[in-house]
Amino acid sequence: MHQHKVLPKRIILVRHGESHGNLDTAAYTTTPDHKIDLTPTGIAQAQNAGACIRAAIASDSSSPNWRLYFYVSPYARARSTLRELGRSFSRARVIGVREECRIREQDFGNFQERERMDSIMETRLRYGRFYYRFPEGESAADVFDRVSSFLESLWRDIDMNRLNQDPSHDLNLIIVTHGLASRVFLMRWFKWTVEQFELLSNPANCEIRIMQLGAGGEYSLAVHHTEEELLQWGLSLEMIADQKWRAQANKGAWNDQVPVCLNAFFDNLPDSDDDNVDLNEVTDKIKNSPMNKKKMKRKEIR
């Protein structure tokens, strides 16, 4: 029997609270990354994040019957963040929670020696944050691949109503993860380029980024967040314009005004075949190309 698909009203990304590793990177030299937990400040940040999320959802008077479903990284600091922000909600509001390994922190390579990591981080800046792979660890591109896999599973959960959502309730997905994973999630969702990814700043501890359904059924950061916030996060003016367009766009529409669609890959394309295109000139270029000359030479030999 076909189930009615209910799209989440919001997909909310939350970076974990301040950890002992954020406070002092020496923690990574003696404690496995996945075991590093929150500081007292991080606990307070997580509790405040829960209150902020509840306020953002509950302020929508049009949907009093809202529910939550959580996805959480298996790292201790993410699980503790979930535990603390969850104090803002009653059990009746929570449909469920799932630990999801694919949204874990980028692997930096087992125990991290401070002097070695300083040199590695310098190399990473010169090489590029997206493609640089940490020795014994991952690149942001690797994280992109597993987050992409997670997104595919997420959509299957929604399509098949595995979240057991009542259509009369607004569904809010809350993803408690890490800084890089959240940036890569947005990059994958909104089809940002590597160059656009490199512009993005890392979210602060327990910073919340809300993707909300717009009037036409597309998700956008511009429904809940201001242009000033998006600029602070590193989005370019073109990326912000696209978010504003998405806030009003019909589901499945394509914004062909976004530079990444064409202009980022081609220079000075004519609007049509009739504009500034000399077909004879194009034909001559093909005939005189080195590749075509090689083909003709091979034919003569045969």
PDB file of all heavy atoms in Angstrom, residues 243-277:
ATOM      1  N   GLN A 243      19.497  31.256  -2.672  1.00  0.00           N
ATOM      2  CA  GLN A 243      18.708  30.870  -1.495  1.00  0.00           C
ATOM      3  C   GLN A 243      17.394  31.645  -1.447  1.00  0.00           C
ATOM      4  O   GLN A 243      16.340  31.087  -1.110  1.00  0.00           O
ATOM      5  CB  GLN A 243      19.518  31.116  -0.215  1.00  0.00           C
ATOM      6  CG  GLN A 243      20.708  30.190  -0.042  1.00  0.00           C
ATOM      7  CD  GLN A 243      20.320  28.730   0.030  1.00  0.00           C
ATOM      8  OE1 GLN A 243      19.392  28.355   0.741  1.00  0.00           O
ATOM      9  NE2 GLN A 243      21.027  27.889  -0.711  1.00  0.00           N
ATOM     10  N   LYS A 244      17.434  32.916  -1.785  1.00  0.00           N
ATOM     11  CA  LYS A 244      16.208  33.720  -1.814  1.00  0.00           C
ATOM     12  C   LYS A 244      15.261  33.211  -2.899  1.00  0.00           C
ATOM     13  O   LYS A 244      14.042  33.185  -2.698  1.00  0.00           O
ATOM     14  CB  LYS A 244      16.555  35.194  -2.045  1.00  0.00           C
ATOM     15  CG  LYS A 244      17.267  35.848  -0.863  1.00  0.00           C
ATOM     16  CD  LYS A 244      17.583  37.308  -1.163  1.00  0.00           C
ATOM     17  CE  LYS A 244      18.231  37.988   0.034  1.00  0.00           C
ATOM     18  NZ  LYS A 244      18.562  39.412  -0.255  1.00  0.00           N
ATOM     19  N   TRP A 245      15.810  32.826  -4.046  1.00  0.00           N
ATOM     20  CA  TRP A 245      14.989  32.274  -5.116  1.00  0.00           C
ATOM     21  C   TRP A 245      14.328  30.973  -4.660  1.00  0.00           C
ATOM     22  O   TRP A 245      13.141  30.739  -4.909  1.00  0.00           O
ATOM     23  CB  TRP A 245      15.860  32.035  -6.340  1.00  0.00           C
ATOM     24  CG  TRP A 245      15.136  31.384  -7.482  1.00  0.00           C
ATOM     25  CD1 TRP A 245      14.386  31.988  -8.450  1.00  0.00           C
ATOM     26  CD2 TRP A 245      15.086  29.982  -7.768  1.00  0.00           C
ATOM     27  NE1 TRP A 245      13.877  31.051  -9.320  1.00  0.00           N
ATOM     28  CE2 TRP A 245      14.283  29.811  -8.919  1.00  0.00           C
ATOM     29  CE3 TRP A 245      15.639  28.852  -7.153  1.00  0.00           C
ATOM     30  CZ2 TRP A 245      14.025  28.557  -9.474  1.00  0.00           C
ATOM     31  CZ3 TRP A 245      15.386  27.605  -7.697  1.00  0.00           C
ATOM     32  CH2 TRP A 245      14.585  27.467  -8.838  1.00  0.00           C
ATOM     33  N   ARG A 246      15.096  30.116  -3.989  1.00  0.00           N
ATOM     34  CA  ARG A 246      14.572  28.839  -3.512  1.00  0.00           C
ATOM     35  C   ARG A 246      13.433  29.036  -2.508  1.00  0.00           C
ATOM     36  O   ARG A 246      12.520  28.207  -2.431  1.00  0.00           O
ATOM     37  CB  ARG A 246      15.685  28.022  -2.852  1.00  0.00           C
ATOM     38  CG  ARG A 246      16.698  27.445  -3.821  1.00  0.00           C
ATOM     39  CD  ARG A 246      17.865  26.799  -3.089  1.00  0.00           C
ATOM     40  NE  ARG A 246      18.841  26.234  -3.997  1.00  0.00           N
ATOM     41  CZ  ARG A 246      18.794  24.990  -4.485  1.00  0.00           C
ATOM     42  NH1 ARG A 246      17.807  24.189  -4.116  1.00  0.00           N
ATOM     43  NH2 ARG A 246      19.716  24.544  -5.321  1.00  0.00           N
ATOM     44  N   ALA A 247      13.485  30.097  -1.755  1.00  0.00           N
ATOM     45  CA  ALA A 247      12.445  30.342  -0.744  1.00  0.00           C
ATOM     46  C   ALA A 247      11.066  30.517  -1.371  1.00  0.00           C
ATOM     47  O   ALA A 247      10.043  30.315  -0.706  1.00  0.00           O
ATOM     48  CB  ALA A 247      12.802  31.576   0.084  1.00  0.00           C
ATOM     49  N   GLN A 248      11.029  30.878  -2.664  1.00  0.00           N
ATOM     50  CA  GLN A 248       9.755  31.090  -3.356  1.00  0.00           C
ATOM     51  C   GLN A 248       9.536  30.119  -4.505  1.00  0.00           C
ATOM     52  O   GLN A 248       8.447  30.078  -5.081  1.00  0.00           O
ATOM     53  CB  GLN A 248       9.699  32.532  -3.906  1.00  0.00           C
ATOM     54  CG  GLN A 248       9.890  33.620  -2.858  1.00  0.00           C
ATOM     55  CD  GLN A 248       8.786  33.610  -1.813  1.00  0.00           C
ATOM     56  OE1 GLN A 248       7.629  33.288  -2.118  1.00  0.00           O
ATOM     57  NE2 GLN A 248       9.122  33.954  -0.579  1.00  0.00           N
ATOM     58  N   ALA A 249      10.554  29.340  -4.857  1.00  0.00           N
ATOM     59  CA  ALA A 249      10.498  28.508  -6.057  1.00  0.00           C
ATOM     60  C   ALA A 249       9.577  27.311  -5.889  1.00  0.00           C
ATOM     61  O   ALA A 249       9.372  26.805  -4.788  1.00  0.00           O
ATOM     62  CB  ALA A 249      11.900  28.023  -6.413  1.00  0.00           C
ATOM     63  N   ASN A 250       9.033  26.860  -7.006  1.00  0.00           N
ATOM     64  CA  ASN A 250       8.235  25.641  -7.014  1.00  0.00           C
ATOM     65  C   ASN A 250       9.149  24.425  -6.920  1.00  0.00           C
ATOM     66  O   ASN A 250      10.288  24.440  -7.413  1.00  0.00           O
ATOM     67  CB  ASN A 250       7.400  25.541  -8.297  1.00  0.00           C
ATOM     68  CG  ASN A 250       6.315  26.606  -8.355  1.00  0.00           C
ATOM     69  OD1 ASN A 250       5.752  26.984  -7.333  1.00  0.00           O
ATOM     70  ND2 ASN A 250       6.044  27.099  -9.553  1.00  0.00           N
ATOM     71  N   LYS A 251       8.666  23.385  -6.286  1.00  0.00           N
ATOM     72  CA  LYS A 251       9.451  22.181  -6.096  1.00  0.00           C
ATOM     73  C   LYS A 251       9.917  21.626  -7.424  1.00  0.00           C
ATOM     74  O   LYS A 251       9.156  21.493  -8.379  1.00  0.00           O
ATOM     75  CB  LYS A 251       8.625  21.129  -5.346  1.00  0.00           C
ATOM     76  CG  LYS A 251       9.403  19.858  -5.037  1.00  0.00           C
ATOM     77  CD  LYS A 251       8.600  18.940  -4.151  1.00  0.00           C
ATOM     78  CE  LYS A 251       9.334  17.621  -3.946  1.00  0.00           C
ATOM     79  NZ  LYS A 251      10.677  17.818  -3.382  1.00  0.00           N
ATOM     80  N   GLY A 252      11.205  21.332  -7.499  1.00  0.00           N
ATOM     81  CA  GLY A 252      11.774  20.763  -8.711  1.00  0.00           C
ATOM     82  C   GLY A 252      12.208  21.783  -9.743  1.00  0.00           C
ATOM     83  O   GLY A 252      12.784  21.418 -10.771  1.00  0.00           O
ATOM     84  N   ALA A 253      11.958  23.059  -9.479  1.00  0.00           N
ATOM     85  CA  ALA A 253      12.361  24.097 -10.435  1.00  0.00           C
ATOM     86  C   ALA A 253      13.876  24.237 -10.452  1.00  0.00           C
ATOM     87  O   ALA A 253      14.562  23.857  -9.502  1.00  0.00           O
ATOM     88  CB  ALA A 253      11.707  25.429 -10.067  1.00  0.00           C
ATOM     89  N   TRP A 254      14.392  24.793 -11.540  1.00  0.00           N
ATOM     90  CA  TRP A 254      15.841  24.951 -11.703  1.00  0.00           C
ATOM     91  C   TRP A 254      16.145  26.419 -11.933  1.00  0.00           C
ATOM     92  O   TRP A 254      15.587  27.052 -12.820  1.00  0.00           O
ATOM     93  CB  TRP A 254      16.342  24.122 -12.884  1.00  0.00           C
ATOM     94  CG  TRP A 254      17.815  24.210 -13.086  1.00  0.00           C
ATOM     95  CD1 TRP A 254      18.473  24.929 -14.045  1.00  0.00           C
ATOM     96  CD2 TRP A 254      18.831  23.564 -12.317  1.00  0.00           C
ATOM     97  NE1 TRP A 254      19.827  24.787 -13.920  1.00  0.00           N
ATOM     98  CE2 TRP A 254      20.084  23.947 -12.869  1.00  0.00           C
ATOM     99  CE3 TRP A 254      18.808  22.712 -11.216  1.00  0.00           C
ATOM    100  CZ2 TRP A 254      21.290  23.493 -12.350  1.00  0.00           C
ATOM    101  CZ3 TRP A 254      20.018  22.262 -10.703  1.00  0.00           C
ATOM    102  CH2 TRP A 254      21.238  22.642 -11.267  1.00  0.00           C
ATOM    103  N   ASN A 255      17.035  26.953 -11.109  1.00  0.00           N
ATOM    104  CA  ASN A 255      17.390  28.364 -11.210  1.00  0.00           C
ATOM    105  C   ASN A 255      18.519  28.542 -12.215  1.00  0.00           C
ATOM    106  O   ASN A 255      19.691  28.384 -11.872  1.00  0.00           O
ATOM    107  CB  ASN A 255      17.808  28.894  -9.830  1.00  0.00           C
ATOM    108  CG  ASN A 255      18.040  30.393  -9.838  1.00  0.00           C
ATOM    109  OD1 ASN A 255      17.825  31.051 -10.858  1.00  0.00           O
ATOM    110  ND2 ASN A 255      18.480  30.933  -8.720  1.00  0.00           N
ATOM    111  N   ASP A 256      18.166  28.867 -13.454  1.00  0.00           N
ATOM    112  CA  ASP A 256      19.191  28.999 -14.480  1.00  0.00           C
ATOM    113  C   ASP A 256      19.902  30.348 -14.442  1.00  0.00           C
ATOM    114  O   ASP A 256      20.755  30.630 -15.280  1.00  0.00           O
ATOM    115  CB  ASP A 256      18.606  28.755 -15.882  1.00  0.00           C
ATOM    116  CG  ASP A 256      17.467  29.713 -16.207  1.00  0.00           C
ATOM    117  OD1 ASP A 256      17.211  30.628 -15.401  1.00  0.00           O
ATOM    118  OD2 ASP A 256      16.838  29.548 -17.268  1.00  0.00           O
ATOM    119  N   GLN A 257      19.553  31.160 -13.453  1.00  0.00           N
ATOM    120  CA  GLN A 257      20.236  32.442 -13.286  1.00  0.00           C
ATOM    121  C   GLN A 257      21.447  32.341 -12.367  1.00  0.00           C
ATOM    122  O   GLN A 257      22.202  33.294 -12.212  1.00  0.00           O
ATOM    123  CB  GLN A 257      19.264  33.493 -12.721  1.00  0.00           C
ATOM    124  CG  GLN A 257      18.063  33.766 -13.617  1.00  0.00           C
ATOM    125  CD  GLN A 257      18.469  34.200 -15.009  1.00  0.00           C
ATOM    126  OE1 GLN A 257      19.307  35.079 -15.179  1.00  0.00           O
ATOM    127  NE2 GLN A 257      17.884  33.558 -16.018  1.00  0.00           N
ATOM    128  N   VAL A 258      21.616  31.164 -11.729  1.00  0.00           N
ATOM    129  CA  VAL A 258      22.754  30.991 -10.835  1.00  0.00           C
ATOM    130  C   VAL A 258      24.020  30.824 -11.668  1.00  0.00           C
ATOM    131  O   VAL A 258      24.058  29.975 -12.562  1.00  0.00           O
ATOM    132  CB  VAL A 258      22.558  29.754  -9.935  1.00  0.00           C
ATOM    133  CG1 VAL A 258      23.746  29.576  -8.995  1.00  0.00           C
ATOM    134  CG2 VAL A 258      21.279  29.907  -9.131  1.00  0.00           C
ATOM    135  N   PRO A 259      25.063  31.614 -11.408  1.00  0.00           N
ATOM    136  CA  PRO A 259      26.276  31.545 -12.229  1.00  0.00           C
ATOM    137  C   PRO A 259      26.863  30.144 -12.331  1.00  0.00           C
ATOM    138  O   PRO A 259      27.419  29.779 -13.361  1.00  0.00           O
ATOM    139  CB  PRO A 259      27.234  32.501 -11.505  1.00  0.00           C
ATOM    140  CG  PRO A 259      26.341  33.475 -10.823  1.00  0.00           C
ATOM    141  CD  PRO A 259      25.136  32.687 -10.407  1.00  0.00           C
ATOM    142  N   VAL A 260      26.726  29.338 -11.262  1.00  0.00           N
ATOM    143  CA  VAL A 260      27.341  28.011 -11.290  1.00  0.00           C
ATOM    144  C   VAL A 260      26.755  27.143 -12.392  1.00  0.00           C
ATOM    145  O   VAL A 260      27.374  26.208 -12.881  1.00  0.00           O
ATOM    146  CB  VAL A 260      27.183  27.309  -9.926  1.00  0.00           C
ATOM    147  CG1 VAL A 260      25.710  27.008  -9.645  1.00  0.00           C
ATOM    148  CG2 VAL A 260      27.983  26.020  -9.880  1.00  0.00           C
ATOM    149  N   CYS A 261      25.538  27.457 -12.815  1.00  0.00           N
ATOM    150  CA  CYS A 261      24.891  26.628 -13.836  1.00  0.00           C
ATOM    151  C   CYS A 261      25.661  26.642 -15.153  1.00  0.00           C
ATOM    152  O   CYS A 261      25.835  25.616 -15.776  1.00  0.00           O
ATOM    153  CB  CYS A 261      23.466  27.103 -14.063  1.00  0.00           C
ATOM    154  SG  CYS A 261      22.386  26.888 -12.639  1.00  0.00           S
ATOM    155  N   LEU A 262      26.096  27.807 -15.592  1.00  0.00           N
ATOM    156  CA  LEU A 262      26.799  27.892 -16.869  1.00  0.00           C
ATOM    157  C   LEU A 262      28.055  28.756 -16.798  1.00  0.00           C
ATOM    158  O   LEU A 262      29.125  28.331 -17.220  1.00  0.00           O
ATOM    159  CB  LEU A 262      25.865  28.453 -17.946  1.00  0.00           C
ATOM    160  CG  LEU A 262      24.740  27.532 -18.443  1.00  0.00           C
ATOM    161  CD1 LEU A 262      23.872  28.290 -19.438  1.00  0.00           C
ATOM    162  CD2 LEU A 262      25.301  26.280 -19.087  1.00  0.00           C
ATOM    163  N   ASN A 263      27.902  29.957 -16.260  1.00  0.00           N
ATOM    164  CA  ASN A 263      28.977  30.941 -16.353  1.00  0.00           C
ATOM    165  C   ASN A 263      30.255  30.525 -15.644  1.00  0.00           C
ATOM    166  O   ASN A 263      31.339  30.996 -15.993  1.00  0.00           O
ATOM    167  CB  ASN A 263      28.504  32.290 -15.799  1.00  0.00           C
ATOM    168  CG  ASN A 263      27.371  32.872 -16.627  1.00  0.00           C
ATOM    169  OD1 ASN A 263      27.119  32.408 -17.725  1.00  0.00           O
ATOM    170  ND2 ASN A 263      26.690  33.869 -16.098  1.00  0.00           N
ATOM    171  N   ALA A 264      30.127  29.653 -14.622  1.00  0.00           N
ATOM    172  CA  ALA A 264      31.323  29.225 -13.914  1.00  0.00           C
ATOM    173  C   ALA A 264      32.147  28.237 -14.738  1.00  0.00           C
ATOM    174  O   ALA A 264      33.312  27.985 -14.436  1.00  0.00           O
ATOM    175  CB  ALA A 264      30.934  28.585 -12.579  1.00  0.00           C
ATOM    176  N   PHE A 265      31.535  27.688 -15.801  1.00  0.00           N
ATOM    177  CA  PHE A 265      32.219  26.683 -16.602  1.00  0.00           C
ATOM    178  C   PHE A 265      32.533  27.140 -18.013  1.00  0.00           C
ATOM    179  O   PHE A 265      33.439  26.612 -18.652  1.00  0.00           O
ATOM    180  CB  PHE A 265      31.357  25.413 -16.663  1.00  0.00           C
ATOM    181  CG  PHE A 265      31.128  24.783 -15.317  1.00  0.00           C
ATOM    182  CD1 PHE A 265      29.966  25.039 -14.601  1.00  0.00           C
ATOM    183  CD2 PHE A 265      32.080  23.954 -14.751  1.00  0.00           C
ATOM    184  CE1 PHE A 265      29.749  24.465 -13.360  1.00  0.00           C
ATOM    185  CE2 PHE A 265      31.876  23.372 -13.507  1.00  0.00           C
ATOM    186  CZ  PHE A 265      30.716  23.634 -12.815  1.00  0.00           C
ATOM    187  N   PHE A 266      31.780  28.126 -18.533  1.00  0.00           N
ATOM    188  CA  PHE A 266      31.982  28.595 -19.904  1.00  0.00           C
ATOM    189  C   PHE A 266      32.168  30.108 -19.918  1.00  0.00           C
ATOM    190  O   PHE A 266      31.623  30.822 -19.087  1.00  0.00           O
ATOM    191  CB  PHE A 266      30.774  28.242 -20.785  1.00  0.00           C
ATOM    192  CG  PHE A 266      30.474  26.767 -20.855  1.00  0.00           C
ATOM    193  CD1 PHE A 266      29.414  26.226 -20.150  1.00  0.00           C
ATOM    194  CD2 PHE A 266      31.257  25.928 -21.633  1.00  0.00           C
ATOM    195  CE1 PHE A 266      29.124  24.874 -20.215  1.00  0.00           C
ATOM    196  CE2 PHE A 266      30.987  24.579 -21.709  1.00  0.00           C
ATOM    197  CZ  PHE A 266      29.920  24.040 -20.998  1.00  0.00           C
ATOM    198  N   ASP A 267      32.927  30.579 -20.893  1.00  0.00           N
ATOM    199  CA  ASP A 267      33.134  32.017 -21.079  1.00  0.00           C
ATOM    200  C   ASP A 267      32.406  32.482 -22.339  1.00  0.00           C
ATOM    201  O   ASP A 267      32.614  31.933 -23.428  1.00  0.00           O
ATOM    202  CB  ASP A 267      34.619  32.336 -21.217  1.00  0.00           C
ATOM    203  CG  ASP A 267      35.382  32.055 -19.937  1.00  0.00           C
ATOM    204  OD1 ASP A 267      34.795  32.244 -18.852  1.00  0.00           O
ATOM    205  OD2 ASP A 267      36.552  31.634 -20.021  1.00  0.00           O
ATOM    206  N   ASN A 268      31.562  33.491 -22.173  1.00  0.00           N
ATOM    207  CA  ASN A 268      30.959  34.186 -23.309  1.00  0.00           C
ATOM    208  C   ASN A 268      30.213  33.264 -24.280  1.00  0.00           C
ATOM    209  O   ASN A 268      30.402  33.326 -25.493  1.00  0.00           O
ATOM    210  CB  ASN A 268      32.043  34.952 -24.085  1.00  0.00           C
ATOM    211  CG  ASN A 268      32.780  35.937 -23.196  1.00  0.00           C
ATOM    212  OD1 ASN A 268      32.160  36.633 -22.390  1.00  0.00           O
ATOM    213  ND2 ASN A 268      34.095  35.997 -23.342  1.00  0.00           N
ATOM    214  N   LEU A 269      29.368  32.404 -23.744  1.00  0.00           N
ATOM    215  CA  LEU A 269      28.546  31.576 -24.618  1.00  0.00           C
ATOM    216  C   LEU A 269      27.498  32.455 -25.307  1.00  0.00           C
ATOM    217  O   LEU A 269      26.862  33.274 -24.649  1.00  0.00           O
ATOM    218  CB  LEU A 269      27.826  30.485 -23.819  1.00  0.00           C
ATOM    219  CG  LEU A 269      28.617  29.246 -23.409  1.00  0.00           C
ATOM    220  CD1 LEU A 269      27.707  28.312 -22.622  1.00  0.00           C
ATOM    221  CD2 LEU A 269      29.148  28.530 -24.639  1.00  0.00           C
ATOM    222  N   PRO A 270      27.300  32.289 -26.608  1.00  0.00           N
ATOM    223  CA  PRO A 270      26.234  33.053 -27.282  1.00  0.00           C
ATOM    224  C   PRO A 270      24.877  32.543 -26.821  1.00  0.00           C
ATOM    225  O   PRO A 270      24.735  31.402 -26.383  1.00  0.00           O
ATOM    226  CB  PRO A 270      26.462  32.750 -28.758  1.00  0.00           C
ATOM    227  CG  PRO A 270      27.180  31.433 -28.769  1.00  0.00           C
ATOM    228  CD  PRO A 270      28.049  31.438 -27.544  1.00  0.00           C
ATOM    229  N   ASP A 271      23.863  33.392 -26.910  1.00  0.00           N
ATOM    230  CA  ASP A 271      22.524  33.018 -26.478  1.00  0.00           C
ATOM    231  C   ASP A 271      21.884  31.987 -27.399  1.00  0.00           C
ATOM    232  O   ASP A 271      21.036  31.198 -26.978  1.00  0.00           O
ATOM    233  CB  ASP A 271      21.622  34.253 -26.383  1.00  0.00           C
ATOM    234  CG  ASP A 271      22.050  35.164 -25.245  1.00  0.00           C
ATOM    235  OD1 ASP A 271      22.623  34.651 -24.269  1.00  0.00           O
ATOM    236  OD2 ASP A 271      21.815  36.376 -25.343  1.00  0.00           O
ATOM    237  N   SER A 272      22.246  31.983 -28.668  1.00  0.00           N
ATOM    238  CA  SER A 272      21.673  31.028 -29.609  1.00  0.00           C
ATOM    239  C   SER A 272      22.699  30.704 -30.683  1.00  0.00           C
ATOM    240  O   SER A 272      23.757  31.330 -30.779  1.00  0.00           O
ATOM    241  CB  SER A 272      20.399  31.591 -30.246  1.00  0.00           C
ATOM    242  OG  SER A 272      20.722  32.619 -31.163  1.00  0.00           O
ATOM    243  N   ASP A 273      22.369  29.713 -31.530  1.00  0.00           N
ATOM    244  CA  ASP A 273      23.273  29.330 -32.617  1.00  0.00           C
ATOM    245  C   ASP A 273      23.433  30.433 -33.645  1.00  0.00           C
ATOM    246  O   ASP A 273      24.386  30.435 -34.423  1.00  0.00           O
ATOM    247  CB  ASP A 273      22.750  28.071 -33.317  1.00  0.00           C
ATOM    248  CG  ASP A 273      22.904  26.836 -32.448  1.00  0.00           C
ATOM    249  OD1 ASP A 273      23.679  26.897 -31.480  1.00  0.00           O
ATOM    250  OD2 ASP A 273      22.244  25.820 -32.749  1.00  0.00           O
ATOM    251  N   ASP A 274      22.495  31.362 -33.663  1.00  0.00           N
ATOM    252  CA  ASP A 274      22.537  32.434 -34.648  1.00  0.00           C
ATOM    253  C   ASP A 274      23.378  33.616 -34.205  1.00  0.00           C
ATOM    254  O   ASP A 274      23.636  34.537 -34.987  1.00  0.00           O
ATOM    255  CB  ASP A 274      21.122  32.931 -34.954  1.00  0.00           C
ATOM    256  CG  ASP A 274      20.248  31.830 -35.545  1.00  0.00           C
ATOM    257  OD1 ASP A 274      20.805  30.979 -36.274  1.00  0.00           O
ATOM    258  OD2 ASP A 274      19.039  31.826 -35.254  1.00  0.00           O
ATOM    259  N   ASP A 275      23.782  33.615 -32.911  1.00  0.00           N
ATOM    260  CA  ASP A 275      24.500  34.765 -32.367  1.00  0.00           C
ATOM    261  C   ASP A 275      26.007  34.548 -32.428  1.00  0.00           C
ATOM    262  O   ASP A 275      26.552  33.690 -31.729  1.00  0.00           O
ATOM    263  CB  ASP A 275      24.091  35.013 -30.908  1.00  0.00           C
ATOM    264  CG  ASP A 275      22.632  35.402 -30.785  1.00  0.00           C
ATOM    265  OD1 ASP A 275      22.078  35.879 -31.782  1.00  0.00           O
ATOM    266  OD2 ASP A 275      22.063  35.218 -29.682  1.00  0.00           O
ATOM    267  N   ASN A 276      26.680  35.321 -33.283  1.00  0.00           N
ATOM    268  CA  ASN A 276      28.138  35.373 -33.294  1.00  0.00           C
ATOM    269  C   ASN A 276      28.797  34.019 -33.545  1.00  0.00           C
ATOM    270  O   ASN A 276      29.898  33.756 -33.081  1.00  0.00           O
ATOM    271  CB  ASN A 276      28.664  35.943 -31.961  1.00  0.00           C
ATOM    272  CG  ASN A 276      28.093  37.312 -31.671  1.00  0.00           C
ATOM    273  OD1 ASN A 276      27.978  38.147 -32.564  1.00  0.00           O
ATOM    274  ND2 ASN A 276      27.720  37.544 -30.411  1.00  0.00           N
ATOM    275  N   VAL A 277      28.124  33.124 -34.236  1.00  0.00           N
ATOM    276  CA  VAL A 277      28.713  31.817 -34.517  1.00  0.00           C
ATOM    277  C   VAL A 277      28.880  31.661 -36.022  1.00  0.00           C
ATOM    278  O   VAL A 277      27.900  31.660 -36.771  1.00  0.00           O
ATOM    279  CB  VAL A 277      27.840  30.667 -33.961  1.00  0.00           C
ATOM    280  CG1 VAL A 277      28.448  29.330 -34.358  1.00  0.00           C
ATOM    281  CG2 VAL A 277      27.719  30.780 -32.452  1.00  0.00           C
TER     282      VAL A 277
END
